[in-house]
Amino acid sequence: MEKIDKRSIAREVAMKMVFSQMFGGEDTPEAVLEKSELGVELNEGELAVAKDIFDGVEEHIPELDEFVAEYSKDWTIDRIGRVDLSVLRVAMYEILYREDVPVSVAIDEAVELAKRFGGERSYSFVNGILGSFAKAHSRS
């Protein structure tokens, strides 16, 4: 039986909250979990991680979107798929502000989310942008 990484689930919940917010949604981590039918319960601390990521992304959207625009050469923000944009925002936020998340983990998790929820080429688009971004903005 595959071990469930609850930190990954918390990140997925945060990404779905960021996505929902683009369309005027105001989901809580608990509501996202219920809708997702993942069959996983997160404890209070894990739910707090999802909420912290979401709140951090929301607080830094203008900055994060500037980075997305800068590193997605020849793409404007409004042309980027909403799932891809949500994934990029979460990963860039983690790279910049979450010292408890290794840069490689933020990128790997983002690529996995893009594979699961994005379009056919989303994962390579996300990986390319985050690779360039991380080289320039990784904390040492």
Side-chain angles (χ1 to χ4, degrees), residues 63 67 70-71 73 92 95-96 103 107 128-140:
E63 174 191 20
F67 286 130
E70 178 182 343
Y71 287 92
K73 296 171 181 68
M92 287 178 170
I95 290 167
L96 291 171
V103 172
I107 293 172
I129 290 172
L130 292 177
S132 298
F133 174 78
K135 283 180 187 159
H137 297 279
S138 287
R139 50 194 184 267
S140 3

Side-chain angles (χ1 to χ4, degrees), residues 6 10 30 33 39 44 49 55 59-60 72 80 84 88 114 122:
K6 291 195 176 183
E30 296 86 353
L33 270 174
E44 204 170 292
V49 167
D55 289 344
E59 180 181 339
H60 294 282
S72 56
I80 296 173
D84 296 350
L88 288 167
S122 290

Side-chain angles (χ1 to χ4, degrees), residues 1-69:
M1 183 171 182
E2 186 179 336
K3 183 179 185 282
I4 295 171
D5 180 358
K6 291 195 176 183
R7 186 87 181 208
S8 294
I9 300 295
R11 186 176 286 108
E12 177 182 327
V13 167
M15 183 276 296
K16 288 179 177 180
M17 290 171 64
V18 170
F19 178 81
S20 173
Q21 186 73 21
M22 285 188 230
F23 300 98
E26 295 183 13
D27 283 336
T28 63
E30 296 86 353
V32 170
L33 270 174
E34 190 174 307
K35 288 178 193 174
S36 297
E37 298 177 1
L38 291 167
V40 175
E41 289 188 32
L42 299 182
N43 66 33
E44 204 170 292
E46 294 155 347
L47 289 169
V49 167
K51 181 98 172 77
D52 287 347
I53 293 169
F54 171 76
D55 289 344
V57 169
E58 287 297 302
E59 180 181 339
H60 294 282
I61 280 182
E63 174 191 20
L64 298 171
D65 285 358
E66 281 182 33
F67 286 130
V68 171

Side-chain angles (χ1 to χ4, degrees), residues 79-92:
R79 284 191 58 218
I80 296 173
R82 296 299 173 232
V83 169
D84 296 350
L85 182 56
S86 300
V87 169
L88 288 167
R89 285 174 172 171
V90 168
M92 287 178 170

